[in-house]
């Protein structure tokens, strides 16, 4: 070994990084850690479970805050609407837990009974003496006392499950390459549900059902011409329904309105903007809303996002948006990383349903879309909307648990009381290989026509 003039070995200096290679920095380390965390096996599972629970709990808080004045004006206790919503959340939590523990085969078996029950109840809505009219829409059935149910909300869940099962069966038989098998009987059944809903005048729910239908067709790999053709028919029917209704035309004219206009036709839309504008960065404080004192109609249902902006400010509304974005991302991840066609269609349908409904509700509050009268999923007051939505969230949780890497991770994290460590390891091996750094799954070379 060569030595220096002093007789000591020479000191080795660290070489400089090659040109074009960025040096390690905190931002890069944070990016790599975040990317690794997003790619873990249980990311989708925790996002769906945690995001949905946070939205529901925050929704309960805002329902209590936004509904107090309305309840007192109706000579009811201030916590009246909150107690009903809390009861619905408890029932919905039980449905979520049950759905998350059901096997995929049982979900497929429930598709036809849920569809038949939804159709039967939507027919009962139109029977005189059974159906009730609320705010001009004949879409409710009384359950006795102050409890009512809106069957059209369960029609969304029915279309998701039945449509996913139908398309999965056709894909297994390699029939989705033919346009008639892709459309029939999915599109006629969806139009039947839309017709029953429109008999009651609820166009907002009809829009959500249409979005679910197109989401399923997109996931099934519908050709562009076929997709555009069905979309053109739906837009033509929607334009006709809007054009022939003065109420819907007035709602369309309130997009971007800053004044209530003649006869206060845009009163609700404008006061929703007022509520958001007065919230500022951090809001006026929980319970300190001014618009809920009779100025903003439906403050605890369709326009609860406006009250959230007024009381919690921009920080509160951005938090709600971030939770919905995380929920949507997790749903897309579950749909994109599965090899089961039913899971892909059902997860994509549920994600389309929740995302489209959130966009329509928030867009209406912001004045970017017409007021469609649809609640904010998991957030607005309304047990009829909360129950099927929480069951759908349970579906996503069950699908996220079905991934082999997620099953292995959950098996390793189970308590070992009364079990041998070897049994845990055997269950992990049976679930599949351990892939902690990534759960990206490459499809086989021969992909079916329904995959994108």
């Amino acid at each position: 070994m060569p030595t220096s003039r002093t007789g000591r070995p020479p000191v080795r200096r660290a070489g400089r990084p090659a040109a074009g290679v960025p040096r390690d920095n905190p931002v890069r380390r944070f990016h790599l850690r975040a990317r690794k965390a997003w790619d873990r096996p249980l990311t989708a599972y925790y996002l769906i479970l945690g995001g949905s629970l946070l939205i529901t709990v925050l929704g309960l808080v805002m329902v209590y805050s936004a509904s107090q004045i309305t309840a007192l004006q109706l000579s009811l206790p201030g916590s009246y609407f909150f107690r009903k919503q809390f009861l619905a959340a408890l029932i919905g939590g039980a449905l979520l837990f049950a759905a998350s523990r059901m096997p995929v085969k049982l979900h497929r078996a429930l598709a036809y009974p849920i569809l038949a029950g939804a159709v039967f109840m939507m027919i009962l809505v139109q029977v005189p003496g059974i159906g009730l009219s609320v705010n001009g829409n004949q879409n409710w059935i009384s359950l006795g006392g102050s409890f009512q149910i809106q069957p059209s909300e369960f029609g969304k869940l029915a279309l998701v499950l039945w449509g996913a099962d139908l398309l999965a069966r056709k894909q297994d038989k390699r029939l989705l390459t033919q346009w008639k098998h892709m459309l029939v009987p999915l599109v006629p059944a969806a139009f039947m549900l839309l017709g029953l809903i429109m008999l009651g005048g609820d166009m907002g729910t009809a829009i959500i059902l249409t979005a679910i239908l197109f989401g399923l067709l997109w996931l099934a790999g519908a050709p562009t011409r076929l997709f555009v053709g069905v979309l053109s028919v739906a837009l033509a029917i929607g334009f006709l329904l809007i054009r022939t209704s003065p109420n819907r035309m007035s709602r369309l004219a309130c997009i971007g309105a800053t004044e209530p206009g003649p006869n206060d036709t845009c009163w609700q839309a404008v006061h929703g903007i007022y509520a958001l504008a007065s919230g500022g960065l951090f809001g006026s404080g929980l319970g300190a809303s001014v618009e809920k004192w009779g100025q903003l109609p439906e403050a605890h249902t369709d326009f609860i996002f406006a009250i959230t902006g007024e009381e919690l400010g921009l920080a509160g509304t951005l938090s709600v948006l971030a939770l919905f974005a995380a929920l949507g991302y997790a749903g897309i991840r579950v749909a994109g990383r599965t090899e089961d066609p039913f899971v892909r269609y059902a997860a994509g349908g549920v994600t389309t349903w929740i995302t489209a409904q959130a966009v329509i509700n928030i867009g209406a509050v912001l004045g970017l879309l017409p007021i469609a009268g649809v609640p904010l999923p998991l957030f607005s007051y309304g047990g009829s909307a909360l129950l099927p939505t929480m069951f759908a969230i349970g579906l996503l949780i069950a699908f996220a648990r079905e991934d082999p890497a997620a099953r292995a991770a959950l098996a390793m994290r189970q308590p070992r009381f009364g079990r041998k460590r070897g049994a845990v390891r055997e269950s992990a091996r049976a679930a599949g290989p351990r892939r902690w750094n990534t759960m990206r799954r490459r499809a086989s070379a021969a992909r079916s026509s329904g995959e994108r």
Side-chain angles (χ1 to χ4, degrees), residues 139-363:
N139 285 312
W140 298 83
I141 295 178
S142 176
L143 299 179
S146 60
F147 293 94
Q148 302 170 351
I149 189 171
Q150 188 176 2
S152 58
E153 293 291 339
F154 294 88
K156 304 172 187 176
L157 178 63
L159 181 60
V160 167
L161 284 177
W162 178 79
D165 179 70
L166 175 68
L167 292 175
R169 292 177 187 273
K170 288 180 177 288
Q171 179 173 328
D172 292 339
K173 298 179 181 179
R174 301 184 182 277
L175 297 175
L176 291 181
T177 55
Q178 306 176 32
W179 67 268
K180 59 181 180 180
H181 284 288
M182 187 172 291
L183 295 182
V184 181
L186 177 62
V187 175
F191 278 13
M192 176 191 65
L193 293 174
L194 291 172
L196 291 174
I197 292 173
M198 288 307 301
L199 283 177
D202 188 2
M203 191 168 183
T205 304
I207 294 174
I208 306 301
L209 231 68
T210 305
I212 296 174
L213 171 62
F214 284 111
L216 291 174
L217 289 176
W218 180 266
L219 291 170
T224 303
R225 289 183 296 179
L226 183 64
F227 195 83
V228 172
V230 178
L231 180 61
S232 301
V233 173
L235 290 177
I237 296 175
F239 176 78
L240 181 63
L241 293 174
I242 294 175
R243 189 68 178 177
T244 55
S245 174
N247 182 34
R248 298 187 185 114
M249 287 296 297
S250 64
R251 291 187 180 188
L252 191 64
C254 291
I255 297 178
T258 57
E259 296 292 337
N263 299 323
D264 293 333
T265 55
C266 299
W267 179 274
Q268 187 179 24
V270 170
H271 278 269
I273 298 297
Y274 290 168
L276 291 171
S278 60
L281 187 58
F282 296 105
S284 57
L286 192 62
S289 170
V290 175
E291 291 293 333
K292 68 182 181 184
W293 288 77
Q295 299 295 322
L296 180 62
E298 307 297 337
H300 60 297
T301 55
D302 300 345
F303 272 70
I304 194 171
F305 188 75
I307 301 300
T308 304
E310 185 179 5
E311 295 187 351
L312 303 183
L314 181 63
T317 55
L318 290 181
S319 299
V320 174
L321 291 176
L323 289 173
F324 276 109
L327 196 59
Y329 165 80
I332 294 174
R333 174 169 171 162
V334 171
R337 297 190 177 187
T338 181
E339 297 175 359
D340 189 336
F342 172 78
V343 173
R344 180 171 63 253
Y345 295 135
V350 171
T351 306
T352 303
W353 162 14
I354 295 177
T355 304
Q357 187 164 327
V359 168
I360 291 174
N361 177 275
I362 296 174

Side-chain angles (χ1 to χ4, degrees), residues 5 7 29 39 48-49 68 72 116 129 142 154 162 166 223 274 283 391 395 421:
R5 294 180 179 178
R29 288 199 301 268
D39 216 18
I48 297 170
L49 179 61
Q68 286 183 351
L72 294 176
S142 176
F154 294 88
W162 178 79
L166 175 68
Y274 290 168
F391 187 90
L395 286 177
R421 184 172 300 181

